[in-house]
């Protein structure tokens, strides 16, 4: 059995937020032969499940890893397999520091994007992932188990988020947080166990599969931990140069050109994992 870990945006999804038919046919073929697909996305579970329902992933052969590996579920039983959160007091500090720099901050519960301010950034983000907003005076009124992750948003360029990240670097290290960009407008903070590389290691242990039999594909900075953790790390042709520099393989095709079919045929259906 081989495990294929797939990022969504820019990887499995094309630029129209659809899945190319040839990619889906290749996925169905690999699952029919006993292999597994783990959707490994930075999106919240709510959004990941909406897309999974749309594309037919709520069945045997699939697992859903959301929040960059912070929350993993079996889509058939809906059982939580892994859930790692950030304590409320850390969320409070990160929110307040974002406000000082004029940046938007939000987190999540199972049903909503939770924000203390109704901003254009909140509107942008909730439309982007098709998840409704919930504006409260204090985020703790909407959470019961800690925060799955924190998102700092800037629609004015990555530089303002880089400034925030550098200002909070010592705090991040002191409190053992994990930060990453999932997009040039989105800076994410999470529990250190909530990253896509930990999702690869966890699912290999859970399913009893040697990590050498895992393949991971992505395109952005938040995909780097899984690219490094998997037996074979693949960067899409349309991916970031920093990711290409550490990947074992870069696809010849983009997310719009059936790059996932290329990966499946090369490394799973033809069993070439040991020949890169």
């Amino acid at each position: 059995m081989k495990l294929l870990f797939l990022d969504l945006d820019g990887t499995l999804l094309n630029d129209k937020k659809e899945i190319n038919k040839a990619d889906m046919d290749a996925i169905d073929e690999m699952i029919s032969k006993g292999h597994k697909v783990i959707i490994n996305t930075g999106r919240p579970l709510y959004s990941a499940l909406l897309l999974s329902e749309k594309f037919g992933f709520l069945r045997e052969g699939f697992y859903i890893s959301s929040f960059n590996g912070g929350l993993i579920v079996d889509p058939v039983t809906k059982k939580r397999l892994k859930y790692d959160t950030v304590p409320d007091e850390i969320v409070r500090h990160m929110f307040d520091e974002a406000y000082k720099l004029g940046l938007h901050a939000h987190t999540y519960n199972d049903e909503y994007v939770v924000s203390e301010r109704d901003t254009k950034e909140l509107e942008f983000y909730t439309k982007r992932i098709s998840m409704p907003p919930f504006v409260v005076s204090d985020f703790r009124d909407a959470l019961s188990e800690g925060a799955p992750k924190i998102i700092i948003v800037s629609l004015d360029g990555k530089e303002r988020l880089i400034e925030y990240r550098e200002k909070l670097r010592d705090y991040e290290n002191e409190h053992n947080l994990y930060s990453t960009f999932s997009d040039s407008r989105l800076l994410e903070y999470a529990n250190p166990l909530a990253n896509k590389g930990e999702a690869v290691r966890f699912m290999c242990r859970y399913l009893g599969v040697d990590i050498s039999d895992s393949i991971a594909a992505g395109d952005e900075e938040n995909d780097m931990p899984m690219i490094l953790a998997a037996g074979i790390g693949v960067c899409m042709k349309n991916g970031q140069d920093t990711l290409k520099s550490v990947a074992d393989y870069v696809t010849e095709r983009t997310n719009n050109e059936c790059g996932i079919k290329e990966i499946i045929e090369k490394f799973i259906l033809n069993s070439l994992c040991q020949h890169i």
Side-chain angles (χ1 to χ4, degrees):
M1 181 198 302
K2 297 191 185 299
L3 305 184
L4 178 60
F5 294 80
L6 292 176
D7 171 54
L8 285 175
D9 300 287
T11 303
L12 178 57
L13 300 182
N14 60 30
D15 291 350
K16 296 180 180 179
K17 302 301 180 185
E18 299 289 337
I19 299 177
N20 304 313
K21 183 179 184 303
D23 288 339
M24 196 67 238
D25 288 346
I27 287 172
D28 286 337
E29 183 176 356
M30 66 167 278
I31 286 177
S32 74
K33 296 182 183 300
H35 306 294
K36 307 290 186 185
V37 170
I38 296 89
I39 301 300
N40 203 8
T41 179
R43 288 176 179 243
L45 182 63
Y46 180 99
S47 177
L49 288 176
L50 280 181
L51 287 172
S52 296
E53 183 175 13
K54 176 180 178 180
F55 296 120
F57 299 159
L58 303 182
R59 55 186 166 103
E60 294 290 340
F62 288 90
Y63 291 87
I64 310 298
S65 170
S66 59
F67 295 120
N68 288 322
L71 174 56
I72 302 177
V73 300
D74 181 327
V76 177
T77 65
K78 301 298 189 295
K79 178 184 176 183
R80 286 183 178 180
L81 306 180
K82 176 181 183 289
Y83 192 33
D84 303 295
T85 60
V86 179
D88 288 351
E89 60 271 18
I90 294 177
V91 180
R92 177 75 274 152
H93 182 79
M94 303 297 280
F95 272 36
D96 290 342
E97 291 299 315
Y99 299 155
K100 290 176 184 177
L101 292 178
L103 294 170
H104 170 83
H106 67 246
T107 185
Y108 312 82
N109 61 22
D110 288 348
E111 300 177 274
Y112 299 100
V113 178
V114 177
S115 175
E116 294 178 340
R117 301 182 179 186
D118 189 1
T119 66
K120 66 180 186 295
E121 290 85 0
L122 181 64
E123 181 181 10
F124 155 78
Y125 186 83
T126 53
K127 286 184 177 179
R128 173 189 169 100
I129 66 167
S130 300
M131 188 171 182
F134 186 29
V135 180
V136 291
S137 58
D138 188 319
F139 74 88
R140 288 167 288 199
D141 294 338
L143 271 60
S144 59
E145 303 177 79
K149 68 177 179 180
I150 305 157
I151 304 288
I152 312 299
V153 185
S154 171
L155 302 182
D156 302 322
K158 193 173 184 178
E159 293 76 16
R160 297 186 66 207
L161 295 176
I162 292 173
E163 177 188 358
Y164 177 89
R165 194 184 205 181
E166 287 306 310
K167 181 181 178 183
L168 273 293
R169 184 70 72 181
D170 289 344
Y171 186 85
E172 175 184 344
N173 293 336
E174 179 185 350
H175 292 84
N176 198 26
L177 295 172
Y178 168 72
S179 69
T180 188
F181 281 94
S182 56
D183 181 284
S184 61
R185 297 159 293 190
L186 306 175
L187 175 59
E188 309 190 0
Y189 287 88
N191 184 299
L193 295 178
N195 71 74
K196 293 187 179 188
E198 288 296 333
V200 171
R201 288 183 281 270
F202 176 87
M203 288 305 299
C204 286
R205 292 193 301 269
Y206 180 78
L207 294 172
V209 174
D210 193 282
I211 203 162
S212 64
D213 286 323
S214 64
I215 303 97
D219 69 306
E220 272 285 355
E221 179 185 308
N222 66 322
D223 297 314
M224 189 172 290
M226 74 169 174
I227 297 300
L228 295 172
I232 294 179
V234 180
C235 181
M236 304 299 290
K237 181 180 179 180
N238 52 284
Q240 298 290 320
D241 288 341
T242 52
L243 200 62
K244 291 177 181 178
S245 70
V246 301
D248 298 304
Y249 179 78
V250 178
T251 61
E252 297 177 2
R253 303 173 186 174
T254 69
N255 62 316
N256 295 317
E257 301 167 333
C258 302
I260 299 305
K261 177 185 177 184
E262 176 187 339
I263 294 166
I264 293 172
E265 289 182 344
K266 186 174 183 67
F267 297 118
I268 298 177
L269 297 180
N270 292 332
S271 298
L272 295 181
C273 286
Q274 66 272 31
H275 297 310
I276 62 168

